Amino acid sequence: MAPIKVTLISGRSIGQGRGKELGKFSNEYFQSVAICELSSDDMSSLGVGEGGNVKVTTAYGEVVVKAYTSKQSIPKSVAFIPYGPWANRVTDPHTHGSGMPSLKGIEAEVSPALDKEVPNLETLIKSSYGR
């Protein structure tokens, strides 16, 4: 299937908050933040089933995450990735003096990535920082 153009937003989620309390290297944290929520229309357009891997690409980078139909009312052509290291790979790192990067309204492309793995946190850190 062809990639789709979306507006990427990031923010807090209940799952992200619970997972963070258990530790950023916990499986619960991984399962709650290494995800991309999309509308059911966008999931159909991508031809990806629940929990299928997708690649999210922006001007700032790319990351492979699991795709899920949003339980919230999310409009078509909007993608949501909870705050965390996976979202950080595709959001603008510049804070423009505010101390907080812009995490909303980012132009992105989402494409099926069924042949790629979602990196765990250790792999993500090593690929980002070489440590």
Side-chain angles (χ1 to χ4, degrees):
M1 292 287 187
I4 60 171
K5 301 279 187 195
V6 299
T7 299
L8 177 64
I9 60 173
S10 186
R12 301 250 181 246
S13 72
I14 292 172
Q16 177 257 353
R18 276 195 312 255
K20 195 168 88 169
E21 290 300 315
L22 295 169
K24 290 189 176 180
F25 286 94
S26 70
N27 189 49
E28 290 82 357
Y29 183 74
F30 174 75
Q31 291 180 9
S32 65
V33 296
I35 65 168
C36 178
E37 294 182 13
L38 299 161
S39 72
S40 58
D41 288 342
D42 287 337
M43 290 286 286
S44 294
S45 293
L46 286 170
V48 175
E50 292 294 313
N53 294 355
V54 294
K55 180 173 74 170
V56 179
T57 305
T58 69
Y60 311 106
E62 64 181 45
V63 69
V64 176
V65 291
K66 297 280 183 194
Y68 292 99
T69 302
S70 179
K71 293 179 179 127
Q72 309 299 317
S73 179
I74 193 167
K76 187 176 187 321
S77 301
V78 171
F80 174 79
I81 299 179
Y83 284 156
W86 291 266
N88 291 347
R89 290 290 292 262
V90 292
T91 56
D92 185 353
H94 300 101
T95 65
H96 311 287
S98 71
M100 184 70 170
S102 299
L103 300 168
K104 299 188 181 358
I106 301 162
E107 291 182 18
E109 184 176 275
V110 179
S111 57
L114 303 176
D115 59 335
K116 297 184 179 187
E117 288 188 37
V118 176
N120 64 25
L121 184 54
E122 184 177 347
T123 302
L124 198 66
I125 291 170
K126 284 180 181 176
S127 69
S128 296
Y129 305 107
R131 298 181 192 159

